[in-house]
């Protein structure tokens, strides 16, 4: 008997009832994505990355990276399911889905959750939404 892959298991979940819309964009809610992932793979985990920043003589970490060439901010996340780690980088966007130069904490958190859901989607859950 052939074992079903993690991708096929997550990809077979119908997420249609959990798709939300913001403006003209559809997305899968992060609470549903996390719940579906953990119900099927309780050992799955994710990492939200921090980035080192040097400012004069101080060094600290931020939950986003800043590109000095484009003046955009990005977040990075990885999700590991059964020893398969997939990473995603996601721009910090405003409520019109436009890049943000100097994001506030809410914009960073929203980008992190979008990034998390996209990482989970790369493992199969709701991939067709994107």
């Amino acid at each position: 008997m052939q074992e079903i892959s993690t991708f096929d298991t997550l990809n077979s979940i119908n997420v249609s009832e959990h798709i939300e819309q913001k403006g003209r964009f559809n997305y899968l809610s992060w609470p549903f994505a996390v719940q579906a992932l953990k119900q099927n793979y309780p050992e799955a985990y994710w990492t939200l990355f921090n980035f080192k920043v040097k400012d004069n003589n101080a060094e600290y970490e931020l939950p986003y990276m800043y590109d000095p060439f484009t003046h955009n901010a990005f977040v990075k996340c990885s999700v590991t399911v059964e020893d398969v780690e997939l990473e995603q980088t996601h721009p910090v966007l405003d409520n019109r889905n436009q890049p943000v130069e100097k994001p506030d904490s809410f914009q960073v958190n929203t980008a992190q959750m979008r990034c998390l859901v996209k990482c989970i989607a790369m493992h199969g859950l709701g991939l067709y939404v994107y």
Side-chain angles (χ1 to χ4, degrees):
M1 178 180 248
Q2 186 177 10
E3 187 176 318
I4 298 174
S5 71
T6 57
F7 182 90
D8 288 338
T9 298
L10 292 172
N11 195 46
S12 70
I13 298 171
N14 183 352
V15 302
S16 298
E17 293 181 18
H18 304 280
I19 295 173
E20 299 179 17
Q21 190 167 15
K22 185 173 187 179
R24 63 179 199 258
F25 300 100
N26 292 335
Y27 66 95
L28 189 59
S29 74
W30 73 263
F32 171 77
V34 167
Q35 179 183 22
L37 174 66
K38 295 298 271 183
Q39 282 178 335
N40 286 277
Y41 299 99
E43 301 299 318
Y45 63 93
W46 54 89
T47 302
L48 298 172
F49 291 86
N50 286 329
F51 302 90
K52 291 186 181 189
V53 177
K54 289 184 180 180
D55 185 21
N56 295 325
N57 294 329
E59 187 174 300
Y60 53 95
E61 291 188 2
L62 290 174
Y64 64 91
M65 61 182 141
Y66 177 76
D67 179 352
F69 301 106
T70 64
H71 305 287
N72 294 324
F74 299 86
V75 297
K76 184 176 178 183
C77 175
S78 71
V79 173
T80 303
V81 181
E82 294 199 341
D83 296 328
V84 175
E85 179 183 24
L86 298 174
E87 293 182 354
Q88 178 74 26
T89 302
H90 188 73
V92 179
L93 304 172
D94 64 16
N95 59 355
R96 298 179 325 262
N97 272 15
Q98 298 300 308
V100 175
E101 280 189 38
K102 296 179 181 177
D104 62 32
S105 57
F106 184 79
Q107 290 166 322
V108 170
N109 179 262
T110 299
Q112 287 176 320
M113 295 301 98
R114 293 288 94 226
C115 193
L116 173 60
V117 172
K118 285 188 174 183
C119 272
I120 294 170
M122 290 186 341
H123 282 283
L125 182 71
L127 185 59
Y128 65 88
V129 174
Y130 302 95

